[in-house]
Amino acid sequence: MNLQKKVSELKGIGPKKSASLSKLNIDTIEDLLYFYPRDYEDRRELREIISLHEGDTALIKGKLILMFRGRIPGRRQTLKLLIQDESGAIEVIFFNAGHLVKSLKQNEEYFFYGNVNVSRGRIQMLHPEITKYEQGQKLSIVPIYPLTGGISQGEMRKWHKEALKLLPELNEYLPELTLKRNRLCVLSYAIENIHYPQDRQKLMEAKYRLIFEELLLLQTGLLSIRKKMNFSDRGILFSNKISIDSFLKSFPFSLTGAQQRVISEINADMESGKVMNRLVQGDVGSGKTIVAAAAMYKAVKSGFQAVMMAPTELLARQHFESLDSVFIQHKINVGFLSGSLSAKEKKETLNRIESGEIDIIIGTHALIQPNVNYNNLGLVITDEQHRFGVNQREILSKKGMNPDVLVMTATPIPRTLAVILYGDLDISVIDEAPPGRQQIVTRAVKEDGRDAAYEFVRREVGKGRQAYVVAPLIADSENVDARSALGLYDELKDRFYEFTIAFLHGSMKQTDKDRVMQDLYSGKIQILISTVVIEVGINVPNASVMLIENAERFGLAQLHQLRGRVGRGKEQSYCILISEGDSSVAQERAEIMKATNNGFLIAEKDLELRGPGEFFGMKQHGIPEFKLADLVKHIKILNSVREEAELILNEDEFLTKKENYILKNKIEKLFQNTERINI
Ligand code: ADP
Ligand code: MG
């Protein structure tokens, strides 16, 4: 028998059952072995019937003395068993379980596991789990599996026991040194004990090994992707004669200490002659754009082109407009490229990029299309990196000759996690807000606070400020009970008749979006009703109120991003969360939002609240799911895992050695559906 064989080869698994198993992603016998219990019941203690009390959950072993079938008049069929052990007897009752009769035999011994209760003075077990006692059978800790319809715990356990008989065929594939260095038990031992642990200690050993294994596959996989991407260490030597200081003087403010520090880290990378691979993390509003601009200035003045890619058209345009006005003073040409340009504009821009006339190109995904040829690309920047795939960054990089790479994100992944996920990127953190930034006052209200919230908006806008109202949907929907931008616009344009109010969402025509943005920047639009399209990048300093409808539908990270659209000017700013329903997670989120403006703290809380699976949509980011591992709980293990992964790859860079063959296969299997890993 081979572990790669279909489960249907096992005793007791027919076509119907194997179809049900397939729904649990169990196709082969090996899959079955890797399908772990979600919990355990300690059934090592056998109780005497006489010792049972009402309310106990207990395991007994007894002989079947009598069996009656009956019917409660007009109600259910009953099956009553009288069970006896050496200490006494108990009634065991099943309803509508006629099928059991066939499998039970008088005078045979069975185990019963269930709750004990007392009815009319008689001690009973209702619907206990029942298994036949086999000669010499040992008591054990029993697995409880996460199941779907069509399979019972009993069946799953039986099949696992069958599959476990094949354990000797399950080969260890982790390098011996890895096991030694990390004191891991071998695979077959781990698999046996994760299903039927002999005791708690062995269960712990098994779990540790399997968690380690899961994290190691992920980490080794991520590291080797990056190793492949780092085509060469040798990069461009940017001129050390270019002073960024003179460029920074063209801004009306002085840099924060954190900005200065990060710029000098980048500067050192650029002058080093090694390829820069740096992640800049900074909360919304921490001033990442200038940092990027400084790097672009240095690249251009050293004779290269620089490109900056943003995830949305809106953000790309905004960057273009603000940066163009700065660079023009330094005789640097800035170009813009996106899918929304007319064919003629596009062609012209492409020509100017290819000829080198444009020094800095800002745009969207259009920048990585095959028809874009750069003249002399030396620096590649991606803004809001978490929105892009590793591949996209790679394609962009390959358009130059080992250009330096800078990736920027406001997604404040806790440092420990960032090191794991971002592999060998160097990390710079802008952990300081520009001076004068106020704390945004945050309030959370229910439906009954809506009127007051709107009146608050009226007062603020009346003082000359601008406000955002954000809703989860574009248009009202029959299927989703939530507010929409268009629905709210209809409602609020009458309510706020004295103000200019407009809406914005992602499916609008580009020219319409542009007009709205222009009117928003100029102050003409006083209240903007929007979807989350404004989540990233929008920078309107005069906006002081962010009102979020159906706040319960947004995650913490998103709420924080949205709130970051206000508090960008001198005025005290406010964020109002209107929630429906009373989900406790939503309430907890609101509490956290009220308590802090610190994105890093919020990220950590988010991770706790949502769990890493959903953390910033890791699934969407293509990070494979774990069965046992948890990126938060197991952060300590992660640290050893990372060291181990590096050791493994140092010894065998591309995992081509024979002894790493299965390891390599497993990693490839893990990453097979994840060619878009967005980290
Ligand atoms: P983010 O990090 O969210 O991308 P931005 O780069 O858009 O932040 O900066 C947000 C706002 O803060 C912009 O209006 C920018 O001009 C301003 N800003 C950036 N750095 C400073 C600074 N050191 N002092 C004052 N204002 C700054
Ligand atoms: Mg930004």
Side-chain angles (χ1 to χ4, degrees):
M1 194 77 128
N2 172 319
L3 294 172
Q4 298 310 325
K5 284 208 167 132
K6 296 268 174 245
V7 272
S8 52
E9 308 264 326
L10 284 179
K11 216 167 84 186
I13 305 187
K16 234 169 122 186
K17 296 292 176 187
S18 57
S20 304
L21 283 171
S22 191
K23 282 194 199 126
L24 295 167
N25 289 325
I26 302 173
D27 295 309
T28 65
I29 297 173
E30 186 171 20
D31 294 339
L32 189 63
L33 288 175
Y34 272 94
F35 186 80
Y36 305 141
R38 67 170 159 77
D39 204 356
Y40 301 86
E41 268 166 14
D42 193 345
R43 298 195 194 167
R44 286 173 300 174
E45 190 197 1
L46 193 60
R47 299 274 300 271
E48 293 193 316
I49 291 174
I50 197 164
S51 76
L52 297 180
H53 294 287
E54 182 155 26
D56 289 352
T57 301
L59 177 73
I60 56 170
K61 185 177 94 183
K63 198 182 268 180
L64 172 59
I65 304 294
L66 283 172
M67 182 156 47
F68 329 85
R69 295 176 75 173
R71 182 177 281 280
I72 303 174
R75 286 178 57 202
R76 300 172 286 188
Q77 241 187 29
T78 54
L79 176 66
K80 272 192 203 176
L81 314 178
L82 187 67
I83 303 299
Q84 197 175 51
D85 69 3
E86 269 145 30
S87 72
I90 186 169
E91 231 175 44
V92 170
I93 299 174
F94 296 94
F95 296 114
N96 296 335
H99 61 278
L100 271 178
V101 175
K102 273 190 281 165
S103 57
L104 295 172
K105 269 211 204 94
Q106 219 163 345
N107 289 324
E108 297 270 335
E109 279 190 300
Y110 296 91
F111 286 111
F112 298 88
Y113 181 84
N115 294 324
V116 176
N117 57 306
V118 175
S119 164
R120 297 202 203 99
R122 276 193 295 210
I123 191 144
Q124 297 180 330
M125 268 191 183
L126 274 184
H127 273 269
E129 248 189 75
I130 170 168
T131 40
K132 191 158 184 317
Y133 168 71
E134 310 277 354
Q135 201 65 43
Q137 190 175 341
K138 278 204 224 110
L139 298 179
S140 60
I141 296 175
V142 175
I144 303 171
Y145 294 97
L147 296 179
T148 54
I151 300 173
S152 71
Q153 292 292 345
E155 285 172 319
M156 199 57 140
R157 286 178 196 143
K158 217 166 59 202
W159 300 334
H160 268 112
K161 285 203 165 142
E162 282 298 312
L164 286 169
K165 288 184 190 158
L166 303 173
L167 263 190
E169 294 181 31
L170 189 64
N171 291 325
E172 180 58 67
Y173 67 94
L174 291 182
E176 217 178 294
L177 271 173
T178 302
L179 299 182
K180 262 218 191 100
R181 280 191 290 244
N182 300 283
R183 296 203 192 92
L184 304 177
C185 65
V186 297
L187 181 58
S188 55
Y189 177 96
I191 293 287
E192 180 172 8
N193 281 286
I194 196 78
H195 292 290
Y196 284 95
Q198 284 169 26
D199 56 43
R200 297 273 152 196
Q201 175 63 30
K202 291 190 167 126
L203 176 59
M204 298 282 282
E205 289 168 39
K207 268 195 177 159
Y208 187 85
R209 141 83 205 216
L210 295 170
I211 290 168
F212 197 98
E213 170 178 337
E214 278 185 359
L215 294 171
L216 187 69
L217 291 178
L218 173 79
Q219 184 68 86
T220 315
L222 287 174
L223 281 181
S224 56
I225 289 180
R226 288 180 207 289
K227 276 205 192 296
K228 276 185 220 142
M229 273 171 51
N230 277 347
F231 354 95
S232 159
D233 265 358
R234 288 254 316 279
I236 299 164
L237 199 66
F238 292 92
S239 165
N240 58 8
K241 306 248 154 42
I242 312 294
S243 148
I244 296 181
D245 289 347
S246 64
F247 169 68
L248 293 172
K249 291 214 180 78
S250 43
F251 291 90
F253 43 74
S254 49
L255 297 191
T256 63
Q259 284 170 319
Q260 278 169 22
R261 190 187 66 237
V262 173
I263 288 178
S264 65
E265 284 163 0
I266 293 171
N267 202 41
D269 283 355
M270 290 180 79
E271 290 176 6
S272 76
K274 269 180 64 182
V275 172
M276 169 166 75
N277 239 323
R278 186 170 286 278
L279 169 75
V280 175
Q281 275 193 7
D283 206 351
V284 272
S286 62
K288 293 184 290 295
T289 318
I290 288 198
V291 170
M296 292 196 280
Y297 177 83
K298 182 158 184 110
V300 172
K301 288 293 176 189
S302 307
F304 294 88
Q305 283 178 315
V307 56
M308 177 149 133
M309 182 162 73
T312 65
E313 170 105 22
L314 221 57
L315 182 53
R317 269 182 195 273
Q318 181 180 291
H319 280 325
F320 170 69
E321 271 148 32
S322 64
L323 292 176
D324 188 32
S325 65
V326 173
F327 282 117
I328 210 160
Q329 307 164 36
H330 300 273
K331 306 207 165 46
I332 291 175
N333 292 327
V334 184
F336 176 77
L337 190 67
S338 86
S340 71
L341 296 185
S342 72
K344 187 168 160 260
E345 286 172 313
K346 199 177 288 171
K347 190 150 178 272
E348 217 177 278
T349 308
L350 287 175
N351 286 338
R352 293 172 62 220
I353 292 173
E354 193 160 357
S355 72
E357 186 192 332
I358 295 180
D359 306 302
I360 291 177
I361 308 101
I362 295 173
T364 60
H365 297 84
L367 295 169
I368 57 174
Q369 299 312 310
N371 59 353
V372 192
N373 298 308
Y374 297 89
N375 184 281
N376 190 12
L377 185 56
L379 174 67
V380 164
I381 301 178
T382 48
D383 193 16
E384 307 293 347
Q385 170 56 33
H386 57 289
R387 299 286 195 94
F388 292 109
V390 167
N391 300 11
Q392 289 167 317
R393 194 168 79 222
E394 185 185 7
I395 296 170
L396 191 53
S397 297
K398 288 213 161 133
K399 289 190 176 269
M401 284 291 286
N402 298 334
D404 275 6
V405 175
L406 196 60
V407 302
M408 305 199 295
T409 183
T411 305
I413 295 176
R415 194 170 181 95
T416 30
L417 208 56
V419 173
I420 307 300
L421 298 179
Y422 287 91
D424 55 2
L425 266 77
D426 295 308
I427 300 179
S428 293
V429 184
I430 308 184
D431 49 5
E432 183 185 349
R437 280 286 151 75
Q438 7 94 6
Q439 292 286 304
I440 299 160
V441 175
T442 302
R443 293 273 173 272
V445 300
K446 287 274 166 69
E447 198 53 41
D448 59 8
R450 176 183 299 278
D451 267 328
Y454 288 158
E455 285 318 302
F456 182 80
V457 170
R458 165 167 281 129
R459 277 204 303 281
E460 281 296 299
V461 177
K463 287 190 231 161
R465 307 285 102 74
Q466 288 161 283
Y468 299 102
V469 177
V470 173
L473 303 176
I474 294 180
D476 287 341
S477 153
E478 278 180 17
N479 305 322
V480 188
D481 187 19
R483 305 240 163 196
S484 74
L486 294 176
L488 275 168
Y489 173 75
D490 271 344
E491 215 178 302
L492 296 183
K493 70 179 192 298
D494 295 332
R495 179 169 191 135
F496 294 118
Y497 62 90
E498 72 269 47
F499 300 133
T500 308
I501 155 170
F503 61 83
L504 181 72
H505 59 77
S507 335
M508 284 162 58
K509 278 215 306 261
Q510 191 53 46
T511 47
D512 294 338
K513 282 192 222 166
D514 290 346
R515 193 177 25 80
V516 170
M517 285 316 296
Q518 252 164 34
D519 290 349
L520 185 69
Y521 282 119
S522 73
K524 188 168 157 216
I525 292 175
Q526 294 166 290
I527 301 176
L528 182 69
I529 320 285
S530 170
T531 59
V532 293
V533 285
I534 58 156
E535 183 191 0
V536 289
I538 305 291
N539 184 23
V540 179
N542 186 46
S544 71
V545 185
M546 165 61 66
L547 189 152
I548 303 174
E549 299 274 1
N550 291 108
E552 76 283 356
R553 289 180 170 264
F554 298 103
L556 264 178
Q558 210 168 19
L559 291 173
H560 178 65
Q561 288 276 341
L562 285 168
R563 179 170 62 182
R565 296 309 112 214
V566 297
R568 294 179 158 253
K570 289 186 290 295
E571 307 302 334
Q572 174 61 53
S573 295
Y574 304 89
C575 174
I576 305 172
L577 309 171
I578 303 185
S579 307
E580 276 170 34
D582 36 29
S583 124
S584 60
V585 177
Q587 274 169 30
E588 209 167 323
R589 272 189 219 132
E591 286 308 313
I592 295 165
M593 288 293 290
K594 273 158 56 182
T596 180
N597 274 251
N598 180 326
F600 283 81
L601 264 179
I602 289 178
E604 263 157 36
K605 292 285 179 197
D606 201 22
L607 201 50
E608 276 169 32
L609 267 185
R610 287 205 286 172
E614 283 184 58
F615 180 68
F616 299 123
M618 276 209 195
K619 261 183 249 168
Q620 277 158 264
H621 289 191
I623 297 174
E625 273 179 83
F626 299 118
K627 291 178 179 166
L628 294 172
D630 178 321
L631 291 174
V632 184
K633 272 198 252 160
H634 303 136
I635 209 95
K636 265 216 182 106
I637 307 183
L638 259 172
N639 290 331
S640 335
V641 163
R642 181 166 169 90
E643 276 173 34
E644 187 57 42
E646 269 165 9
L647 287 172
I648 291 176
L649 291 175
N650 283 345
E651 284 153 19
D652 183 8
E653 188 172 0
F654 298 106
L655 297 178
T656 44
K657 289 192 184 156
K658 189 160 158 260
E659 63 262 33
N660 287 330
Y661 178 74
I662 304 181
L663 177 65
K664 185 174 181 191
N665 269 343
K666 291 229 179 209
I667 292 172
E668 279 169 3
K669 193 170 167 213
L670 185 70
F671 284 85
Q672 70 189 356
N673 300 320
T674 54
E675 69 278 0
R676 247 189 74 106
I677 300 174
N678 291 8
I679 48 173

